[in-house]
Amino acid sequence: MHVAPEELQAAAVAKLAELEGVEMKPKKRVAIPVQEMPAQDPLERCKNMKEVALGYCAEQARLEAMRCLQCKNAPCVSGCPVAIRIPDFLKAAADGRFADAIAIIRENSLLPAVCGRVCPQESQCQLNCTVGKILKDVNKSVSIGRVERFVADLQRESETGQVIPEIKPESGNKVAVIGSGPASITVAADVRREGHAVTMFEAFHKPGGVLLYGIPEFRLPKAIVKNEIDTLRAMGVEVRTNFVIGRTRKLQDLIDKDGFDAIFVGTGAGLPKFMNIPGENLVGVFSANEYLTRSNLMKSYDTERAHTPMYSSLKVAVLGGGNVAMDAARTAVRLGADEVHLVYRRTEKEMPARVEEVAHAKEEGVIFHMLENAVRIIGDENDRVIAMECLRYELGEPDDSGRRRPVPIEGSEFMMQVDTVIVAIGNGSNPLISQTTEGLEINRWGNIVVDENGQSSIAGVYAGGDIVLGAATVILAMGEGRRAAAAINARLTG
Ligand code: FAD
Ligand code: SF4
Ligand code: SF4
């Protein structure tokens, strides 16, 4: 049931007053209720692109941080890919020292406002939280990400705003960063701080990577991403957009002709995978990437100001069960579809999407079809989608990923009437750079092979993020960027 943000705040104010002066023994801390995230009413938010989760108020942030038991072994820290000093920042937040809290987070993370929103916390820092273990429910762990988001937003929205890091004197070295997602943003900042000149090359007309073109506004406001890019620019990073490495200029030319001393490749995993079933070339079939890019980057939802054409859909089927599928389905709801069906061949338990995203999608009316999948898409005489033939599945033995394998049920074919199909079954790496760069080693999935420092098979060329890991997460991309930047800095100063 949706609770109004004012009610949540009032309850937090009252609880905090009740605890004033009370000695906070562990039992008392565990008894503090999990602070619910204030959110837009589902009936309202279906009609707008504004952020769904509204963020904690100060009282909620303090209360949530007070739930932390300050465990000596801090299992939460080992679950965070960049090892933020979680108990320390939570202690500062619990005391109301919010500036100290964000300073601690920023020691290890460059993008706390982003990670506080999109990190899959329930499978990372919050997975092994002692409070969650005591309460026997991972969803009752300390909401580390929500407190992180609160202190990051508070700093961004304060009068002083985001702090521009100090830059060391110019070193005379030049570094090229290819791509502008979280891995590249991290490298650009860490390398620039050491006084090296940094040029960022981005294929799209706006920088930000998936944070901009993939994750929708209602989950990650684009103003936050712009703020990070503005900080890079203020640090002196040159950002060149509409610049495709491998087409506009080859990677080797950056070294041989343009005099770059080191290169970081952070080109992500933007190549959509398809089902390879009949009818996938019909009008009305989209990759989730294209669908989301039209909406997020090209603002097709803003029909008054943007002139991006958008397919007008009434009944949409989204194929897949990850975050990308949830984002596509929830975008389709907001773009005005009457019905949005999410079709996944396993059960909800095996879905890779974040629990919160699944819950939000359901609240917004997305209809879930588990243990079903499309086998054929059917078009009319004009090759426009009119239906999808599906099969029902049951779960068999676990496969390589540890998830139980979906096994088709013979003779279970049925039809689903839809006019749009969005394929969201994963992304691979774009082969452009590897195909146009001699000597760049890739593995069988097309990902760039690197050593423990992020160095590729070509001296001075580093890589990280999804182009190395395959489609992964923002915080892992950031961690990879940190590692490669440290190696680049060592190379240039060493
Ligand atoms: P990217 O963010 O992919 O950026 C790569 C950039 O390189 C792009 O801007 C691209 O245009 C540019 N580029 C590519 N080729 C070239 C070239 N030849 N020349 C110049 N530029 C080039 N992760 C989470 O942690 N939580 C989530 O909730 C989440 N939701 C997601 C939702 C969607 C729809 C998608 C697609 C991904 C999601 N992810 C999520 C995954 C996460 O966004 C990625 O793991 C992360 O962005 C990878 O960062 P990156 O820096 O490696 O590359
Ligand atoms: Fe958790 Fe992500 Fe923050 Fe690490 S960066 S503490 S994983 S929310
Ligand atoms: Fe606090 Fe949970 Fe980390 Fe323990 S595991 S220090 S309770 S956040």
Side-chain angles (χ1 to χ4, degrees):
M1 200 191 62
H2 178 254
V3 184
E6 306 76 45
E7 273 182 54
L8 294 173
Q9 180 168 14
V13 171
K15 187 75 190 170
L16 208 54
E18 181 193 313
L19 295 176
E20 201 64 52
V22 174
E23 194 191 346
M24 290 306 289
K25 296 238 167 83
K27 257 194 175 166
K28 279 249 177 300
R29 292 185 186 275
V30 173
I32 299 173
V34 180
Q35 295 301 295
E36 195 181 313
M37 176 58 98
Q40 272 198 73
D41 188 321
L43 294 175
E44 277 305 310
R45 70 188 195 226
C46 289
K47 297 178 234 149
N48 67 54
M49 282 285 169
K50 288 192 216 139
E51 191 172 17
V52 168
L54 300 171
Y56 279 164
C57 60
E59 291 80 6
Q60 282 187 295
R62 280 194 62 195
L63 272 178
E64 190 60 39
M66 282 164 73
R67 299 181 63 234
C68 171
L69 301 176
Q70 296 291 308
C71 317
K72 284 221 164 59
N73 58 345
C76 49
V77 177
S78 49
C80 169
V82 295
I84 289 176
R85 290 197 283 128
I86 295 168
D88 296 343
F89 101 71
L90 288 175
K91 171 85 177 67
D95 295 347
R97 293 181 287 110
F98 298 133
D100 292 346
I102 188 64
I104 295 169
I105 297 170
R106 282 197 177 277
E107 287 169 9
N108 297 48
S109 171
L110 196 77
L111 304 170
V114 174
C115 295
R117 285 173 165 80
V118 305
C119 261
Q121 290 120 13
E122 64 276 10
S123 57
Q124 292 183 337
C125 54
Q126 291 171 203
L127 179 66
N128 293 316
C129 170
T130 312
V131 175
K133 297 260 180 249
I134 293 171
L135 297 173
K136 297 190 174 54
D137 184 351
V138 69
N139 298 313
K140 293 190 174 155
S141 294
V142 178
S143 308
I144 300 164
R146 292 174 178 177
V147 182
E148 181 173 330
R149 167 190 164 146
F150 170 79
V151 291
D153 285 356
L154 194 68
Q155 184 186 51
R156 210 183 60 255
E157 287 155 10
S158 71
E159 265 172 39
T160 43
Q162 193 139 320
V163 185
I164 310 294
E166 225 172 278
I167 312 289
K168 288 192 181 161
E170 296 298 330
S171 68
N173 294 311
K174 279 171 60 174
V175 176
V177 171
I178 307 175
S180 61
S184 300
I185 292 175
T186 308
V187 172
D190 282 2
V191 168
R192 179 64 195 132
R193 256 198 287 240
E194 291 301 304
H196 310 306
V198 177
T199 308
M200 181 179 256
F201 296 98
E202 167 55 47
F204 277 135
H205 64 284
K206 278 189 189 167
V210 171
L211 306 182
L212 190 81
Y213 79 76
I215 305 181
E217 176 78 17
F218 55 80
R219 276 213 298 132
L220 177 64
K222 301 309 150 211
I224 293 174
V225 185
K226 183 176 175 298
N227 196 57
E228 298 301 338
I229 301 291
D230 287 348
T231 304
L232 288 184
R233 287 197 167 108
M235 290 169 72
V237 173
E238 186 191 356
V239 182
R240 300 191 65 179
T241 50
N242 292 316
F243 204 113
V244 186
I245 301 296
R247 286 266 184 278
T248 323
R249 201 125 181 95
K250 285 192 181 158
L251 186 145
Q252 197 62 48
D253 289 341
L254 297 176
I255 302 171
D256 297 344
K257 298 181 182 164
D258 302 334
F260 283 100
D261 301 291
I263 294 178
F264 175 77
V265 185
T267 45
L271 192 72
K273 290 183 182 157
F274 281 92
M275 305 271 293
N276 293 322
I277 55 173
E280 253 180 328
N281 56 348
L282 290 168
V283 181
V285 180
F286 296 88
S287 72
N289 263 23
E290 181 190 343
Y291 192 78
L292 289 168
T293 304
R294 277 173 186 268
S295 175
N296 298 329
L297 184 71
M298 311 297 289
K299 305 270 179 268
S300 61
Y301 61 84
D302 189 356
T303 45
E304 279 174 20
R305 281 175 294 181
H307 298 289
T308 310
M310 197 72 198
Y311 199 68
S312 125
S313 314
L314 295 177
K315 287 192 177 185
V316 178
V318 178
L319 309 180
N323 284 324
V324 182
M326 296 305 143
D327 284 343
R330 297 175 67 200
T331 298
V333 168
R334 284 160 175 79
L335 290 176
D338 287 344
E339 282 177 21
V340 179
H341 300 265
L342 189 117
V343 181
Y344 182 56
R345 60 190 187 141
R346 290 180 160 105
T347 71
E348 202 173 310
K349 197 164 148 245
E350 288 82 28
M351 269 191 170
R354 293 191 59 197
V355 177
E356 189 178 82
E357 306 313 328
V358 173
H360 279 159
K362 284 184 177 169
E363 284 170 12
E364 290 163 11
V366 174
I367 305 156
F368 280 52
H369 299 255
M370 298 295 100
L371 292 167
E372 292 176 10
N373 205 6
V375 287
R376 184 164 68 102
I377 305 169
I378 298 149
D380 65 8
E381 63 284 5
N382 297 316
D383 283 345
R384 285 179 170 258
V385 174
I386 50 166
M388 208 168 69
E389 186 181 328
C390 300
L391 260 188
R392 295 189 208 284
Y393 285 71
E394 58 192 357
L395 289 182
E397 293 303 308
D399 64 13
D400 295 345
S401 71
R403 295 179 302 172
R404 288 179 65 193
R405 192 188 303 273
V407 183
I409 302 173
E410 226 175 286
S412 65
E413 291 86 352
F414 67 100
M415 288 297 210
M416 195 183 273
Q417 310 301 322
V418 289
D419 55 36
T420 307
V421 177
I422 303 173
V423 184
I425 56 165
N427 288 314
S429 56
N430 189 315
L432 183 59
I433 289 191
S434 55
Q435 279 172 358
T436 54
T437 310
E438 216 173 296
L440 187 66
E441 190 188 343
I442 53 170
N443 64 18
R444 66 192 173 107
W445 298 282
N447 300 324
I448 298 178
V449 176
V450 296
D451 68 11
E452 66 285 0
N453 295 315
Q455 152 103 21
S456 74
S457 53
I458 303 177
V461 177
Y462 296 76
D466 281 6
I467 188 63
V468 167
L469 301 170
T473 63
V474 171
I475 190 70
L476 283 171
M478 219 196 77
E480 291 253 303
R482 274 259 130 112
R483 180 182 69 160
I488 293 172
N489 287 334
R491 179 188 179 88
L492 297 181
T493 48

